[in-house]
C-alpha cells in the first residue's frame, strides 16, 4: 500500500522503498544509491523505520532510465551491478556479509583478500612472487624518471608482470587467483625501498612499509598500516572498480583489468585525495592552526580534502577505525590534533565528517612518509578488491558493461562539411 494517496490534504504522493524499487525495476539498495547520487530525494517515515519517495520524482527517473537505455534488463547498461563482494549500509560496510572493520582489525591484509576472493579464511597466508616476475617489474620501474609517481610505477610494473606471465590469458578462477597472489607482491617489490639494506621478508604490510618509510616499523604502526590495507580492499563500485569491471567484461586479463583501475585512481577525487590531505595536514602543523589553511582552501574554490563521503552521512567507518589505532601511537598525537582541528573548523559552515583520506594522511604524516604514500597504500590495497570484481565479471555475459549513448548533437542528416 502506498504511504500516502493524493488528496486535498496530501498533494504529494509518496512511495515506499519497495514500491519505488518495483517502479524503477531495481533492488531496494539501488534506490538508496540513487539518493546518494542526488538523483532522488527521500523522507524518513514517522518513527524512522524506513524512507518514502516522491512518486513524481521516481516516475520521472524511471522514464529517463527507459529513454536513455539505463537499467533495462539485457540492455548492457545496468545501473545496478549484482555483486557478492561489498555491501554498504549507512555507517557500516561488509565484505561478503562480514563486518569489514572487524575483519580488517582481526586479520592481515592477505587474509582479508583471500576472504574477499574465495569466501574462505586462510589463516597465516602470505603472498610471494616468483623472481622472474619481480625482476621484470623492477627493470621497467628503474628505467622511469626519478620524479615518477607511485601510480605510474605500479602501472608499468603490472604491465611488465603481465608480459612475464605466459598464462595471463587463462581466465579460469584458479588461474586468476594465482595471478592475484603473484601480482600484488610483485607491485610492492617493484617499488624502490627507502633503505637499501632491506630484505623482502614477512607480511605484505611489512614489505610495503619499507617502500613508504625509512623508519623502523614498530608493532603498533605496522598493525595500523596492515589494518588500513584491509579496510581499503574494496568499497563497492567506486570509479576505479567500475573501470576494472568494464575491462573484465571485455575479457581483458587480470593484469590489464588492474591496470584500468590504476589509471582511474590517479585522479585527485579518488586515490590521490589522501596526498592532498597529507599536504594540508603539514600546513596546519606548520602554522599551528587549521583556520588559515581552511580559509585558503575555500578562497581558492577548492573542496577541503579528507572531509565528507557521499555514501556515509556520518563519519567514514574506515576513518573511525584508523583514528582509534592512531590514538595509541604517541608520535601520531600532533597530526591527530591537527586533523581534529580541521574537522572542527570546517564544521562551523559545513557538517562534514572525516573520511579515510584524512585518516591516511595522519598515518603518513606521523610515520615520516611522503605525501604520495597514501595513494600507494590505496592502490596496493584496492588491487585485491579489483581482482574480486574481475572474477565476478568473468562469470557474467561478455561485454554487458556497454551503455548506450544519448545523442544530443545536431539532428541528422546534416550536409557534408566544406573544406576550409
Amino acid at each position: 500500500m502506498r504511504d500516502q494517496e493524493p488528496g486535498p490534504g496530501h498533494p504529494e504522493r509518496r512511495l515506499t522503498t519497495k514500491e519505488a524499487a518495483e517502479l524503477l525495476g531495481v533492488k531496494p539498495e539501488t534506490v538508496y544509491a540513487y539518493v546518494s547520487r542526488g538523483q532522488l530525494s527521500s523522507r524518513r517515515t514517522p518513527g524512522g523505520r524506513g524512507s518514502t519517495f516522491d512518486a513524481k520524482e521516481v516516475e520521472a527517473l524511471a522514464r529517463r532510465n527507459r529513454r536513455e537505455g539505463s537499467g533495462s534488463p539485457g540492455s548492457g547498461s545496468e545501473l545496478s551491478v549484482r555483486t557478492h563482494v561489498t555491501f554498504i549500509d549507512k555507517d557500516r560496510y561488509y565484505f561478503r556479509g562480514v563486518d569489514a572493520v572487524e575483519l580488517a582489525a582481526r586479520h592481515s591484509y592477505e587474509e582479508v583478500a583471500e576472504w574477499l576472493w574465495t569466501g574462505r579464511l586462510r589463516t597465516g597466508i602470505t603472498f610471494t612472487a616468483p623472481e622472474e616476475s619481480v625482476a621484470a617489474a623492477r627493470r621497467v620501474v628503474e628505467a622511469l624518471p626519478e620524479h615518477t609517481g607511485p601510480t605510474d610505477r605500479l602501472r608499468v610494473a603490472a604491465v611488465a608482470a603481465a608480459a612475464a606471465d605466459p598464462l595471463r590469458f587463462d581466465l579460469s578462477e584458479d588461474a586468476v587467483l594465482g595471478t592475484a597472489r603473484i601480482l600484488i607482491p610483485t607491485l610492492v617489490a617493484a617499488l624502490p625501498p627507502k633503505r637499501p639494506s632491506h630484505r623482502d621478508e614477512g607480511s605484505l604490510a611489512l614489505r610495503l612499509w619499507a617502500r613508504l618509510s625509512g623508519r623502523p616499523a614498530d608493532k603498533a604502526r605496522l598493525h595500523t598500516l596492515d589494518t588500513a590495507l584491509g579496510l581499503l580492499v574494496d568499497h563497492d563500485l567506486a570509479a576505479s572498480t567500475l573501470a576494472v569491471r568494464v575491462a573484465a567484461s571485455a575479457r581483458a586479463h587480470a593484469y590489464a583489468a588492474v591496470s584500468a583501475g590504476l589509471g582511474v585512481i590517479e585522479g585527485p577525487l579518488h586515490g590521490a585525495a589522501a596526498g592532498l590531505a597529507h599536504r594540508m595536514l603539514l600546513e596546519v602543523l606548520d602554522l599551528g592552526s587549521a583556520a588559515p589553511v581552511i580559509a585558503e582552501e575555500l578562497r581558492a574554490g577548492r573542496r577541503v580534502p579528507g572531509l565528507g563521503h557521499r555514501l556515509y552521512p556520518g563519519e567514514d567507518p574506515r576513518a573511525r577505525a584508523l583514528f582509534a589505532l592512531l590514538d595509541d601511537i604517541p608520535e601520531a598525537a600532533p597530526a591527530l590534533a591537527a586533523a581534529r582541528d580541521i574537522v572542527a573548523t570546517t564544521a562551523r559552515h559545513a557538517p562534514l565528517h572525516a573520511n579515510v583520506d584524512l585518516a591516511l594522511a595522519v598515518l603518513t604524516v606521523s610515520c615520516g612518509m611522503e605525501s604520495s604514500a597514501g595513494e600507494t597504500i590505496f592502490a596496493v590495497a584496492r588491487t585485491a578488491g579489483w581482482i574480486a570484481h574481475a572474477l565476478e565479471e568473468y562469470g557474467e555475459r561478455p561485454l554487458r558493461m556497454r551503455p548506450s549513448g544519448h545523442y544530443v548533437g545536431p539532428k541528422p542528416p546534416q550536409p557534408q562539411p566544406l573544406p576550409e
Side-chain angles (χ1 to χ4, degrees), residues 127-142 153-154 157-158 161 181-195 198-201 203-212 376 380:
F127 297 156
T128 57
E131 186 53 42
E132 57 268 25
S133 176
V134 172
R138 281 179 176 164
R139 279 196 298 272
V140 296
V141 168
E142 288 168 359
R153 289 190 170 105
L154 293 172
R181 295 177 186 124
I182 289 173
L183 175 58
I184 295 174
T186 297
L187 295 179
V188 172
L191 297 173
K194 296 296 182 183
R195 287 174 292 152
H198 169 75
R199 296 177 65 185
D200 271 332
E201 296 174 345
S203 69
L204 191 93
L206 180 59
R207 284 173 271 161
L208 179 60
W209 177 276
R211 268 79 187 174
L212 301 177
T376 306
V380 171

Side-chain angles (χ1 to χ4, degrees), residues 248-269:
S249 177
R251 296 304 183 258
H253 55 69
Y255 298 95
V258 166
S259 296
L262 288 168
V264 173
I265 68 162
E266 203 162 10
L269 300 181

Side-chain angles (χ1 to χ4, degrees), residues 31-330:
V31 175
Y32 290 103
Y34 284 132
V35 174
S36 71
R37 297 182 192 122
Q39 293 172 281
L40 281 180
S41 59
S42 65
R43 183 187 301 166
R44 300 296 290 177
T45 55
R49 305 195 70 176
S51 298
T52 62
F53 305 85
D54 183 342
K56 290 182 179 178
E57 267 192 12
V58 176
E59 289 163 357
L61 179 59
R63 286 195 299 272
R64 188 161 67 250
N65 285 350
R66 286 194 295 270
R67 184 172 63 250
E68 296 179 1
S70 298
S72 55
S75 67
S77 55
E78 295 91 339
L79 280 175
S80 178
V81 176
R82 290 169 56 88
T83 178
H84 296 89
V85 180
T86 302
F87 174 60
I88 298 174
D89 182 30
K90 297 177 184 175
D91 62 346
R92 303 175 75 178
Y93 69 119
Y94 304 84
F95 293 154
R96 288 183 172 266
V98 174
D99 186 288
V101 172
E102 292 182 13
L103 192 69
R106 297 177 182 180
H107 298 281
S108 71
Y109 168 71
E110 294 98 315
E111 290 168 352
V112 174
E114 286 288 337
W115 171 256
L116 211 63
W117 296 335
T118 67
R120 297 190 300 273
L121 196 62
R122 299 180 63 189
T123 305
I125 187 171
T126 57
F127 297 156
T128 57
E131 186 53 42
E132 57 268 25
S133 176
V134 172
R138 281 179 176 164
R139 279 196 298 272
V140 296
V141 168
E142 288 168 359
L144 294 172
E146 189 176 343
H147 65 269
T148 302
T151 306
D152 286 327
R153 289 190 170 105
L154 293 172
R155 197 159 51 232
V156 300
V159 172
D165 183 1
L167 304 179
R168 63 188 179 276
F169 295 105
D170 184 348
L171 302 185
S172 65
E173 182 176 348
D174 286 346
V176 173
L177 288 174
T179 293
R181 295 177 186 124
I182 289 173
L183 175 58
I184 295 174
T186 297
L187 295 179
V188 172
L191 297 173
K194 296 296 182 183
R195 287 174 292 152
S197 60
H198 169 75
R199 296 177 65 185
D200 271 332
E201 296 174 345
S203 69
L204 191 93
L206 180 59
R207 284 173 271 161
L208 179 60
W209 177 276
R211 268 79 187 174
L212 301 177
S213 177
R215 300 177 184 177
D218 62 35
K219 186 176 180 180
R221 282 184 282 194
L222 189 60
H223 176 59
T224 303
L225 175 59
D226 200 10
T227 302
L229 290 168
L231 291 169
L232 289 166
V233 161
D234 189 58
H235 207 232
D236 196 33
L237 287 182
S240 57
T241 305
L242 183 59
V244 167
R245 292 197 77 127
V246 171
S249 177
R251 296 304 183 258
H253 55 69
Y255 298 95
V258 166
S259 296
L262 288 168
V264 173
I265 68 162
E266 203 162 10
L269 300 181
H270 201 4
L276 301 177
H278 177 109
R279 287 187 284 272
M280 177 183 65
L281 207 56
L282 288 178
E283 284 188 63
V284 174
L285 287 167
D286 185 49
L287 296 174
S289 171
V293 178
I294 299 301
E296 186 58 34
E297 292 288 330
L298 298 176
R299 182 183 181 185
R302 296 189 291 264
R303 291 179 57 187
V304 180
L307 298 180
H309 197 291
R310 67 185 185 87
L311 295 182
Y312 299 114
E315 190 175 36
D316 185 333
R318 301 168 297 178
R320 188 165 56 245
L322 288 178
F323 284 144
L325 292 174
L326 289 162
D327 258 328
D328 294 331
I329 301 174

